[in-house]
Amino acid sequence: MINRDNYISIKQELDAAGVILVAVSKIKPVSDILALYELGQRDFGENYVQELAEKQPQLPADIRWHFIGHLQSNKVKYIAPFVHLIHGVDSTSTLKEINKQAIKNNRTIDCLLQVHIAQEETKFGFDENEVNTILSGDQYPNANLKGLMGMASFSDDLSLVRSEFRALKNLLTKAQSIDPAMTILSMGMSGDYRLAIEEGSTMVRIGSLLFGNRS
Ligand SMILES: *Cc1c(COP(=O)(O)O)cnc(C)c1O
């Protein structure tokens, strides 16, 4: 079941701020995605390759699918034909494989580099030097680098979360000076999207506020 009222108010709020809403539908049924689609939503985010590859053919072709999970190189091929934006690119080997599969599919694939901003050890991602190296290298012509993605610490400490978002925004500004095509900043989820927008997010990934808790 979708939360229609939440969707309408969040969408309005984000439209007014010029921020793109990615509705995170992982673990949720195709019927929920369709219900949100019928309210006008077109950008959906999924975390698992197999789940996305199964859902995509069952749903309208004009949905823009965002892959927001950790992507293993050997699975890129399953989403390469149709994926709209890959948010979580966190290694050069994955980037290389995305480039290869994009060429195979005779297309370019838009990508965001995931940056490690949280204090927690477990989060995937590059650091600043690695981002700069990739951007200066320009080695992957069919993997279009469009911006950065990050996840803040899972914490009640709002000043910590804010400082992590701010650091990511600063990194994007630097990245933009190397590559002006780096314009997307994917940060903010159900619990922290307002904070993320205050700190310069251009794209938020919201699941539970729209689709209910995943349990
Ligand atoms: C699950 C997930 C989200 C959405 O989380 P909610 O708290 O349900 O809004 C956003 N981004 C990523 C990377 C996720 O895995």
Side-chain angles (χ1 to χ4, degrees):
M1 279 283 279
I2 62 162
N3 189 325
R4 189 176 185 277
D5 292 346
N6 272 1
Y7 174 69
I8 289 167
S9 68
I10 290 170
K11 182 75 172 113
Q12 217 163 36
E13 183 185 352
L14 296 180
D15 283 351
V19 172
I20 293 170
L21 171 62
V22 177
V24 177
S25 48
K26 62 183 173 207
I27 326 199
K28 297 295 176 181
V30 161
S31 56
D32 282 0
I33 297 173
L34 208 49
L36 215 56
Y37 177 91
E38 277 158 8
L39 295 179
Q41 181 63 22
R42 291 295 179 271
D43 291 274
F44 289 89
E46 290 279 341
N47 284 58
Y48 308 104
V49 168
Q50 192 182 339
E51 186 180 347
L52 174 53
E54 279 170 16
K55 284 173 168 173
Q56 186 267 342
Q58 302 178 55
L59 284 155
D62 63 340
I63 286 182
R64 293 183 288 270
W65 290 106
H66 297 246
F67 190 79
I68 64 169
H70 173 62
L71 182 57
Q72 290 170 279
S73 296
N74 60 354
K75 296 196 172 160
V76 173
K77 57 178 177 283
Y78 300 112
I79 61 171
F82 63 84
V83 71
H84 173 68
L85 177 64
I86 299 177
H87 290 230
V89 179
D90 61 6
S91 75
T92 47
S93 59
T94 305
L95 197 54
K96 194 174 162 191
E97 181 64 16
I98 292 169
N99 184 57
K100 180 178 152 190
Q101 294 298 332
I103 291 168
K104 252 191 184 168
N105 285 278
N106 199 19
R107 63 175 297 210
T108 58
I109 297 177
D110 289 351
C111 298
L112 306 180
L113 299 176
Q114 183 166 355
V115 178
H116 180 102
I117 51 170
Q119 307 232 306
E120 292 142 44
E121 278 299 320
T122 52
K123 300 269 161 74
F124 295 101
F126 296 110
D127 64 25
E128 178 171 354
N129 287 332
E130 292 167 327
V131 169
N132 291 343
T133 304
I134 291 169
L135 291 177
S136 308
D138 201 17
Q139 290 183 67
Y140 312 101
N142 285 49
N144 253 343
L145 300 176
K146 302 282 278 188
L148 301 177
M149 178 265 205
M151 281 197 279
S153 294
F154 188 71
S155 167
D156 293 333
D157 181 353
L158 294 187
S159 67
L160 173 69
V161 172
R162 186 184 290 282
S163 72
E164 291 172 353
F165 285 150
R166 192 165 291 179
L168 188 59
K169 166 71 185 184
N170 286 336
L171 246 172
L172 183 80
T173 306
K174 288 186 199 164
Q176 234 163 3
S177 70
I178 305 175
D179 179 355
M182 296 285 286
T183 55
I184 300 176
L185 191 54
S186 168
M187 63 182 194
M189 320 191 347
S190 289
D192 57 19
Y193 78 91
R194 288 202 172 107
L195 206 57
I197 292 169
E198 283 172 23
E199 295 302 330
S201 171
T202 68
M203 189 177 273
V204 295
R205 310 174 309 268
I206 296 182
S208 36
L209 283 178
L210 306 177
F211 291 105
N213 288 328
R214 288 178 295 272
S215 71

